[in-house]
Amino acid sequence: MRRAIKYLFICLCLAPLLFGVIYSLGYSLGLAGLLSDGFTWDYWIGLINSGNLMRSTIYTIGLGACSLIIAVMAALVVSWKSGRYGVDHRSSISKSKAEVLILLPLLFAPVTAAFCWYQILSPGGFIARASFHLGLIHETSEFPRLVNDDLGIGIVICHVFLILPVFSYLFTATAHKHRLHRLYLQSNTLGASSWYFFKKVYTPMLLQKNMRVLWLYLIFLLGTYEVPLLLGGSRSQTFSVFIADKLTRFNLGDIPSGYCMAIWYTVLITVMTALYLRWQKSILW
Amino acid sequence: MASPYIRLLAILLLLPVVSLSCGSEVAQSPSENVPADWSTIATQAQGSTVHMMMWQGDRLINKYMQDYVTPRLSELYGIELIVTDGQGNQVVNRLMAELEANRKTSDLDIVWINGETFYQLRQIDALYGPFVQKLPHADLIDLNNPFISMDFQQAIDGYECPWGNVQMIMIYDSLQTSDLPQDMTEWSRWVQDNPGRFTWSNDFTGMTLLKSWLMSLADDPSVFYGEFSEDLYTTYSKQLWARIENMRPYLWNEGRSFPASLAQLHQLYVNGEVDMTMSNNDSEVDNKISQGVFPTTSRAYVPAMGTIQNSHYLGIPRLSDNKVGALQVINFLLSPEAQYEKSQSAVWGDGTVLDRDRLSPDWQAKWTGLAQRSHAPPREEISKRALQEPAPEYMIRLFEDFRKRIIEQ
C-alpha cells in the first residue's frame, strides 16, 4: 500500500513538476518550441542584461517579505488581544464578534480582494472621495498614490488583508494548544509584565512553532498573480506578472524569456527552501 | 541497482526529452480532403459539431452568438456550435501547444483572430487555407479593399475570412471635455493644460494609439504601409518618445505607471480620474452607455490625425477535423442576414465587411434604413480618417521600447 502511494506520488506530483521544469529549461535554451533555432544562451543573457531578472527578484521578494512581516505582527497582536491576556483569566479562545469579523477576508478570492482594494485606495476610490467631501483634499487627484504605485503599497495592503485572518487564527490556536495563558499567569505571578511576556515568550514561541507555515506563505506570496497584476505599477513586475506577460504578448520570440524567468523562480525557491531546511536542522541539533 | 522509484522517475523524465526532441517538428494535418464544391461541403457539414474559440468579454457579443447565431445554425444546418472563451495569445498558445505535442487533430474548428494573432499563427503555420474563395458569401466582400484584404500589412491570402470592421475612437465626457486634441502637437498641449487627466493602457489598445501617433508624425502616414522598415521606425519613434517624455509629467500618475489593460483605463474614466478613454471598437461608447457602464454624456470622436481601422477575422486551425463544418459556419456568419443583425447598435454595432453594392436591392434598402448609433459619429464619417494597420513588427517594437524608454525610466 505504502509502495503504491509512493508510485502514485511520483507519477502525479513529482514527474509532472520535473517534466515542466525540464521543458521550461529546454525552451529557455532554444531547445524546444516551434520557432527554436537550436541551443543558445541569448535569452538568458538578454534577460540578465535588461535588468529585469534582478528587478523582478528584488521587487517580488520585497513585496512578499513586507506583506508577511506586517501580517505576522498584526496577527500576533490580534491573537494576543483575542486571547484576552492581561484582561481577565479566561483561557479559552474568545468567540467574540471581532474574531468572527476578522475571519471574513477568508471569503474573498484574491482577484475580488484586489478589485475591492482598488476601489477603496485609488484616487477615484472611496477614501479619496470621502477625503474630498470632508475638505481634507481639494481634488481627488491629490490623494496619495496607493495603488499602481512603484512601491507596491496597494499590493502589500491587499496581501495583509488576505493572510491576516489565517495567521490570527493560527496563532490563537497555537497559543491555546500550548496553554500559553497558563504560562502567562505564572510569569505574571512571578512579576513579569504583560509586555515582557509578549516580547520574550509569546512572540518567539508562536513564531518558532509556526515557522514552517510562515515559510510556505512566503513562497505563496512570491507566486501570487492577480493582486500584483491589478494593483502593481508598470515599472517593476513580480515574477508571475513578468512570466505571464512574456508568454502571452505579441512577440513569440519573447516566450523563451518567460521560461528563463520561470526557471530562475524555481531555482530561487529551491535554494531558499534548502537553506531554510538546513537552518531548521541546525536549530534542532 | 537503482531503487524502483528512481527508475520510474527516470522513465517519466525521459518523456520531456522525447518531447523536446520532436518539439520542432511540424505536426501533420488531419486529412485535408475538403471537397471542392460547396454542395458537398454543405452536405458533409450537416448535423456536425463545431468548436469555436472567441473573446467573450462583451455581453452584447455573447448575446449575439448565443441568442442568434447558435440557434440559427442549428435551425438552418443542424450544426451545433460550441463557443469557448479565449482570445489572441490564448488562441496562439493553444494551437502552438497542439502542434508542439504533435497532435493529429485540434480541439478547435474556428478561431476569432486579427492582426498580431494572424501574424503569429502564420509564423507557426497553424492555419488552414486558403479557404475564403470556397465560401459562396465571399463574393459579397470587396477583397480589393486594403482595410479588409490586408491584416497588419500581411495579405490574408485566403487563410482568414473577414468578419467585421472597426476603427479606433477616443471616448470623452461631453460635460467635462470640449477642447478635443486633433493631432500629437495638440495632444501635448491638451495634456499640459489638463495635468493628470490622460493616460493610455499598456496593452494592444494603448499601443494602437501610439501607432496612430507614430504614423501622424510623418507628413504622409502611408509611408508606414508595406513591410517593416527599421529606418522609418527609428526616425519617427525618436520623435514619438521625445514627445511622450515631455508629456509624461502631465500624464495620469505623472506617467509613473500606466493601466495594464483597457478595462482598467475604462475604470479610471468611470471613476472620474481621467477625462478620456479609448477603444478599438467604434461602437464601444454606445455599447457601454447602453450597459450603464459609461455616463450617458460620453461621446466618441476620431482625431483629425486619423486612427487605425482594421478588420477582425475568422480562421480555421490546420489540425481541425471538422473543416467542412467550420466553412459552413463561417459562410453563415458572412451572410447578409448575420452581418445585418451584427451591425445593429442594439445587438453588437460591428461594422460589416460586405460590399453593399454587391447586395440584393432588398438588402441594400434594409441596410440604408439601419438605425445609426447615437453617441459616436457615423462610420462613413470616421472612415475618412482611417489609417491602415502597419506591419506587426511596429507593434512589437513599440511595446518593447515603451517599456524600456518610458516605463522603466
Side-chain angles (χ1 to χ4, degrees):
Chain A
M1 184 64 186
R2 282 182 67 183
R3 178 173 281 198
I5 291 172
K6 279 185 183 175
Y7 278 126
L8 207 62
F9 176 75
I10 289 173
C11 290
L12 295 180
C13 301
L14 217 50
L17 195 71
L18 287 170
F19 184 104
V21 171
I22 292 174
Y23 188 74
S24 302
L25 187 65
Y27 225 116
S28 73
L29 295 171
L31 297 172
L34 285 178
L35 300 178
S36 68
D37 287 329
F39 180 81
T40 176
W41 288 106
D42 286 357
Y43 304 118
W44 281 98
I45 293 167
L47 185 68
I48 293 165
N49 287 345
S50 68
N52 285 325
L53 190 81
M54 195 48 72
R55 207 169 14 241
S56 281
T57 305
I58 293 170
Y59 187 61
T60 311
I61 294 177
L63 285 179
C66 281
S67 305
L68 192 73
I69 290 166
I70 295 170
V72 164
M73 284 163 54
L76 281 169
V77 173
V78 170
S79 69
W80 174 263
K81 291 288 179 193
S82 68
R84 297 185 161 238
Y85 295 88
V87 176
D88 62 24
H89 295 282
R90 285 199 310 158
S91 61
S92 61
I93 303 170
S94 169
K95 299 290 180 198
S96 66
K97 284 177 184 172
E99 192 183 323
V100 176
L101 280 177
I102 206 156
L103 291 174
L104 276 181
L106 286 176
L107 301 174
F108 284 77
V111 68
T112 316
F115 268 122
C116 288
W117 281 106
Y118 186 87
Q119 292 293 353
I120 293 168
L121 299 175
S122 71
F126 300 134
I127 298 179
R129 287 176 194 213
S131 306
F132 175 75
H133 288 299
L134 291 170
L136 300 174
I137 51 176
H138 301 298
E139 281 182 40
T140 51
S141 58
E142 286 177 17
F143 190 72
R145 172 110 352 236
L146 298 174
V147 291
N148 303 132
D149 58 314
D150 292 337
L151 295 173
I153 296 170
I155 299 174
V156 172
I157 291 173
C158 189
H159 278 164
V160 170
F161 170 79
L162 285 169
I163 59 177
L164 178 62
V166 182
F167 287 166
S168 302
Y169 191 78
L170 182 73
F171 291 159
T172 308
T174 309
H176 181 64
K177 184 183 168 192
H178 293 280
R179 300 170 189 270
L180 289 191
H181 200 272
R182 287 190 182 179
L183 207 58
Y184 166 73
L185 291 177
Q186 281 176 0
S187 64
N188 207 230
T189 313
L190 293 170
S193 68
S194 295
W195 171 240
Y196 186 85
F197 179 79
F198 179 78
K199 196 171 66 172
K200 295 287 183 185
V201 181
Y202 192 81
T203 301
M205 200 160 167
L206 289 185
L207 291 183
Q208 196 192 339
K209 295 284 177 198
N210 294 297
M211 191 53 81
R212 198 162 283 185
V213 178
L214 298 183
W215 183 254
L216 287 173
Y217 257 91
L218 178 63
I219 292 174
F220 161 76
L221 289 173
L222 297 185
T224 56
Y225 177 66
E226 295 98 335
V227 175
L229 180 74
L230 290 167
L231 302 179
S234 311
R235 208 166 282 183
S236 301
Q237 291 174 305
T238 58
F239 289 134
S240 51
V241 174
F242 180 91
I243 293 166
D245 195 40
K246 290 293 175 192
L247 297 187
T248 58
R249 282 288 188 194
F250 310 104
N251 189 357
L252 291 179
D254 269 353
I255 293 177
S257 305
Y259 280 112
C260 289
M261 189 66 96
I263 288 290
W264 168 243
Y265 171 70
T266 310
V267 169
L268 195 74
I269 296 294
T270 310
V271 169
M272 284 169 68
T273 307
L275 288 174
Y276 166 75
L277 291 175
R278 203 171 163 182
W279 172 70
Q280 264 219 331
K281 206 173 170 185
S282 69
I283 286 180
L284 287 173
W285 287 99
Chain B
M1 203 61 186
S3 92
Y5 306 124
I6 293 178
R7 262 182 277 152
L8 173 65
L9 198 57
I11 291 167
L12 290 170
L13 289 181
L14 276 176
L15 288 172
V17 177
V18 172
S19 163
L20 289 185
S21 64
C22 27
S24 301
E25 287 174 16
V26 175
Q28 295 302 307
S29 309
S31 57
E32 287 195 4
N33 51 350
V34 177
D37 66 305
W38 184 255
S39 59
T40 316
I41 291 174
T43 310
Q44 288 184 7
Q46 190 79 27
S48 64
T49 301
V50 175
H51 296 265
M52 178 175 182
M53 180 174 262
M54 64 180 285
W55 176 68
Q56 291 193 297
D58 188 291
R59 192 171 58 82
L60 289 178
I61 298 174
N62 296 346
K63 201 165 180 299
Y64 170 72
M65 295 304 293
Q66 283 160 16
D67 297 353
Y68 171 74
V69 175
T70 308
R72 283 296 281 156
L73 283 169
S74 171
E75 186 184 326
L76 294 170
Y77 314 112
I79 289 178
E80 185 191 4
L81 181 70
I82 298 174
V83 180
T84 51
D85 189 29
Q87 60 172 320
N89 51 61
Q90 288 157 312
V91 172
V92 176
N93 287 337
R94 178 79 166 262
L95 297 184
M96 191 155 70
E98 289 178 350
L99 289 169
E100 285 175 349
N102 270 321
R103 281 187 57 172
K104 299 291 176 212
T105 59
S106 174
D107 293 332
L108 304 172
D109 302 305
I110 300 177
V111 286
W112 186 21
I113 53 179
N114 80 341
E116 82 289 351
T117 312
F118 178 60
Y119 171 71
Q120 292 174 333
L121 293 178
R122 291 289 279 147
Q123 265 185 304
I124 58 173
D125 191 22
L127 291 175
Y128 161 72
F131 71 86
V132 176
Q133 293 302 344
K134 287 184 195 285
L135 308 170
H137 287 136
D139 292 341
L140 302 175
I141 307 172
D142 177 10
L143 287 170
N144 292 319
N145 179 349
F147 288 102
I148 288 176
S149 62
M150 301 291 281
D151 194 6
F152 276 57
Q153 298 302 312
Q154 190 170 7
I156 62 172
D157 285 339
Y159 279 83
E160 58 175 359
C161 178
W163 188 23
N165 184 272
V166 288
Q167 186 169 346
M168 186 182 202
I169 40 127
M170 304 303 299
I171 299 168
Y172 64 99
D173 187 337
S174 55
L175 278 185
Q176 309 282 339
T177 313
S178 53
D179 183 22
L180 302 169
Q182 300 296 334
D183 58 30
M184 199 159 184
T185 308
E186 286 188 25
W187 229 295
S188 303
R189 204 178 311 128
W190 187 89
V191 168
Q192 288 186 24
D193 293 342
N194 301 276
R197 307 295 299 168
F198 185 74
T199 190
W200 56 87
S201 51
N202 182 21
D203 66 354
F204 181 85
T205 309
M207 292 308 112
T208 306
L209 175 69
L210 295 199
K211 267 189 285 184
S212 302
W213 277 347
L214 181 77
M215 294 168 81
S216 75
L217 291 172
D219 290 335
D220 176 12
S222 67
V223 294
F224 283 92
Y225 300 165
E227 286 185 6
F228 175 75
S229 158
E230 183 68 43
D231 290 345
L232 200 64
Y233 176 76
T234 308
T235 307
Y236 290 106
S237 65
K238 260 186 199 162
Q239 295 179 36
L240 178 73
W241 302 130
R243 288 190 185 222
I244 290 179
E245 199 55 59
N246 288 337
M247 200 190 269
R248 185 185 184 141
Y250 308 100
L251 292 175
W252 173 79
N253 192 22
E254 295 171 356
R256 284 200 295 260
S257 63
F258 293 82
S261 66
L262 183 64
Q264 284 189 15
L265 180 60
H266 282 346
Q267 186 71 52
L268 293 177
Y269 172 72
V270 171
N271 282 357
E273 287 189 59
V274 293
D275 285 337
M276 274 192 214
T277 182
M278 58 198 77
S279 175
N280 277 319
N281 175 6
D282 48 84
S283 291
E284 181 102 337
V285 66
D286 283 82
N287 293 352
K288 285 283 184 287
I289 288 174
S290 71
Q291 290 167 19
V293 177
F294 284 174
T296 51
T297 46
S298 294
R299 297 288 182 274
Y301 86 106
V302 170
M305 68 178 192
T307 57
I308 286 169
Q309 183 188 97
N310 62 24
S311 298
H312 48 91
Y313 302 82
L314 297 165
I316 301 176
R318 185 163 57 83
L319 299 183
S320 159
D321 62 353
N322 186 15
K323 294 190 178 77
V324 287
L327 288 167
Q328 181 66 283
V329 171
I330 294 174
N331 190 55
F332 170 73
L333 293 173
L334 265 188
S335 66
E337 175 198 329
Q339 288 276 313
Y340 176 82
E341 183 73 13
K342 184 164 68 84
S343 290
Q344 297 177 73
S345 288
V347 177
W348 176 348
D350 193 30
T352 183
V353 290
L354 301 183
D355 181 354
R356 287 195 211 171
D357 293 339
R358 302 184 188 201
L359 299 177
S360 68
D362 285 354
W363 276 114
Q364 286 189 25
K366 211 170 172 186
W367 232 291
T368 310
L370 189 70
Q372 288 285 346
R373 57 203 179 183
S374 49
H375 300 93
R379 195 159 272 130
E380 296 72 27
E381 196 181 301
I382 63 171
S383 289
K384 292 173 191 163
R385 294 177 170 182
L387 303 171
Q388 283 183 35
E389 275 281 9
E393 289 91 341
Y394 288 105
M395 171 79 102
I396 290 169
R397 292 295 297 277
L398 280 174
F399 251 119
E400 284 171 7
D401 289 348
F402 179 59
R403 170 153 283 284
K404 279 183 204 154
R405 305 185 66 144
I406 304 294
I407 291 178
E408 290 174 2
Q409 292 304 311

